[in-house]
Amino acid sequence: MTLKVSGEFRIIQGSLFKKQDSNQSSVWVDFENTLGDGTWLADYRVKINYNISNETLNSDGSITFSYGGVSSVEIFTTRTAGITAGATTNYQIYNYDNTGHKNLLWQYAPDLGQAFNSGKLTNLPITVQGTGTYTIPRGGSIEIPKTRVANFYNDSALIDDEADLYLGGTFTNPLPPAYTPCSRYQGGTYQSNDIRNRENQVFNGAKFVNVQHSVSTNENKNCDFSVNTAQIAVYNNGWKQARREVE
């Protein structure tokens, strides 16, 4: 996997929320379970794996890939205290229909302190927008609409954690832009600055412009790069003559 992707869990409630993160193929959120007196029992993670396939690195450094939304969902403990709580919790995954109502897709009700792993839950009917085939130029990014695709809820007498999952966002090709000899890097690409073709350029705050002559009325001719001709200009609150004096 060479793409860098983003996704997001938006926390609705979760006083025991720890963090969320993502890598090149997944996005996840971490919570913890405790007893009512604050005794720590376990950390657990809800992880969504992207369905990215047919990824191809093209000869020009661009990346073509197919984005299919969610490939699987996982819920598992990352560490436990080995303490039986004597109380259960109920992990649940929902999706949203077109009217915004939640439909239950999966649930599991273990002891609060139990170590468990759901494994990869595949074939959950989670619909994602923006699926299709894309090409990203080297050094570039594209935006796939970030849409709410699922809801996670941990329901118990002691803990209520809830978060909505959003997939999509920024997909980035990590390869640097192609280098152009004798150039400047600006705006994500290399801009030509090839003096062999008398394309001497400067950045005026908005774009690169040719510096072939000054704009004064008596110096309005192409620069031949010879000395003492005053045919080089600089930008300082407008184009100004920049005479080169030599002995």
Side-chain angles (χ1 to χ4, degrees):
M1 177 67 66
T2 55
L3 281 173
K4 293 182 179 180
V5 302
S6 66
E8 180 183 7
F9 279 93
R10 298 184 185 177
I11 306 303
I12 298 173
Q13 57 181 332
S15 59
L16 299 180
F17 162 75
K18 299 190 69 176
K19 66 176 182 178
Q20 61 176 299
D21 206 347
S22 63
N23 59 21
Q24 294 172 319
S25 59
S26 307
V27 58
W28 63 88
V29 63
D30 291 342
F31 295 94
E32 64 181 5
N33 288 337
T34 64
L35 289 173
D37 61 2
T39 301
W40 172 77
L41 296 174
D43 292 341
Y44 71 96
R45 175 171 296 176
V46 184
K47 183 178 181 182
I48 308 296
N49 299 307
Y50 277 80
N51 182 3
I52 297 176
S53 60
N54 302 320
E55 185 180 340
T56 302
L57 178 61
N58 303 311
S59 59
D60 62 356
S62 64
I63 295 176
T64 300
F65 67 98
S66 297
Y67 170 56
V70 178
S71 65
S72 62
V73 180
E74 301 175 74
I75 303 177
F76 54 91
T77 50
T78 56
R79 63 187 185 121
T80 63
I83 300 173
T84 300
T88 60
T89 190
N90 189 5
Y91 302 111
Q92 302 163 64
I93 295 290
Y94 296 83
N95 74 340
Y96 288 92
D97 61 23
N98 292 332
T99 63
H101 292 104
K102 297 193 300 183
N103 301 306
L104 181 64
L105 302 181
W106 177 89
Q107 64 179 331
Y108 182 66
D111 186 274
L112 272 171
Q114 177 181 327
F116 79 99
N117 190 329
S118 68
K120 291 186 176 182
L121 304 171
T122 59
N123 299 319
L124 295 181
I126 299 177
T127 302
V128 178
Q129 296 181 18
T131 58
T133 299
Y134 298 87
T135 297
I136 308 176
R138 60 181 302 159
S141 298
I142 62 171
E143 293 294 324
I144 295 178
K146 186 178 286 187
T147 56
R148 185 175 68 173
V149 298
N151 173 268
F152 164 73
Y153 187 41
N154 179 15
D155 180 26
S156 74
L158 300 174
I159 296 170
D160 287 309
D161 296 328
E162 185 177 9
D164 279 343
L165 167 68
Y166 288 74
L167 281 189
T170 304
F171 286 62
T172 301
N173 182 339
L175 293 176
Y179 170 67
T180 301
C182 198
S183 60
R184 289 185 175 92
Y185 183 76
Q186 184 265 332
T189 61
Y190 284 96
Q191 305 287 335
S192 175
N193 189 28
D194 189 350
I195 61 174
R196 294 171 302 176
N197 295 321
R198 295 295 190 260
E199 293 178 357
N200 194 23
Q201 295 182 317
V202 296
F203 188 68
N204 69 2
K207 62 182 180 180
F208 280 95
V209 295
N210 287 337
V211 184
Q212 298 299 321
H213 53 78
S214 67
V215 295
S216 60
T217 57
N218 63 337
E219 297 290 351
N220 189 15
K221 65 179 182 178
N222 289 338
C223 177
D224 61 6
F225 289 88
S226 61
V227 298
N228 287 331
T229 60
Q231 300 304 319
I232 297 294
V234 295
Y235 192 83
N236 182 10
N237 295 322
W239 288 107
K240 304 294 177 62
Q241 180 178 321
R243 180 182 295 278
R244 293 180 294 173
E245 300 290 352
V246 297
E247 296 181 356

